[in-house]
Amino acid sequence: MSPLSDLPETTSAPLSGERLRALVAPMIRGTMVERCGMEMVELDAQGGIMTMPVAGNTQPAGLLHGGATIALAESIASFAAMLQAREVLGEGAQAVGASVSALHHRSARAGTVTATCAVRHAGRQVASYLVDVRDESEALLSTITVQTMLLPPR
C-alpha cells in the first residue's frame, strides 16, 4: 500500500505542513529527493511547491547544477501527477515522467531555491506541468515543463 493511500480520493485543499511531510517521508527515504535535500512545502493534483538547498547540489564551477534543478522540478511535478492519477484512476494509480524540457535563465551560488509547479493539462492518461524555479530573491532561474503518464493500478 502506498503512503499516499492515507489521502482522501480527492484533495479539495493543498496538503502542507507536518501532515504532508509525514505522508511523503516514507516515499523519499533513500531517493534523490532525500539526497538533494528537497523538501515538500505544498501539494495537490494541480501542482505544489518544493525547496532545495544550493549547497551540495552544485557543479564544479560552484553554481547550482542544472541537473539538480531539473530533478527538483520533475520531483514536484511527479508528486502532483501521482495525486492526479489517483483522482482519475483510483487507489494504487501511479504516474511516471515521460518528458522534461528545461530552459535555464540564470543560476544560484548559495541559499535555497524554490520550485513552484502548476498544472497545464490534467487528463486521464497524461498530466503536464509548468515549473518555475526561483532563488531567495525571487529571481527566475529556470522554466521547466514536465509531462507525465498516468498509470492505472496494477
Side-chain angles (χ1 to χ4, degrees):
M1 191 172 274
S2 164
L4 290 179
S5 63
D6 292 336
L7 296 176
E9 271 308 307
T10 59
T11 52
S12 57
L15 296 166
S16 61
E18 288 304 315
R19 180 170 181 231
L20 175 59
R21 283 188 281 285
L23 290 168
V24 172
M27 296 178 72
I28 66 169
R29 201 166 287 119
T31 68
M32 177 183 272
V33 172
E34 182 180 63
R35 284 190 293 278
C36 289
M38 297 177 199
E39 291 189 23
M40 189 87 61
V41 175
E42 185 175 295
L43 180 67
D44 67 15
Q46 300 300 302
I49 300 170
M50 189 176 241
T51 63
M52 180 179 72
V54 173
N57 294 305
T58 59
Q59 53 168 276
L63 300 170
L64 176 63
H65 195 290
T69 305
I70 293 168
L72 174 65
E74 187 171 3
S75 295
I76 188 62
S78 293
F79 275 106
M82 278 191 273
L83 292 180
Q84 172 65 16
R86 185 187 158 108
E87 285 185 13
V88 298
L89 300 172
E91 179 62 36
Q94 291 293 324
V96 294
S99 174
V100 177
S101 177
L103 177 59
H104 301 301
H105 309 289
R106 60 189 309 165
S107 194
R109 291 187 176 275
T112 299
V113 295
T114 301
T116 303
C117 173
V119 70
R120 289 298 179 250
H121 171 76
R124 295 189 59 78
Q125 296 178 325
V126 174
S128 300
Y129 297 87
L130 179 63
V131 183
D132 285 340
V133 179
R134 296 179 181 272
D135 66 13
E136 291 176 343
S137 70
E138 296 294 319
L140 181 63
L141 304 180
S142 299
T143 303
I144 302 166
T145 58
V146 181
Q147 181 172 316
T148 61
M149 297 297 296
L150 308 182
L151 305 175
R154 292 184 180 223

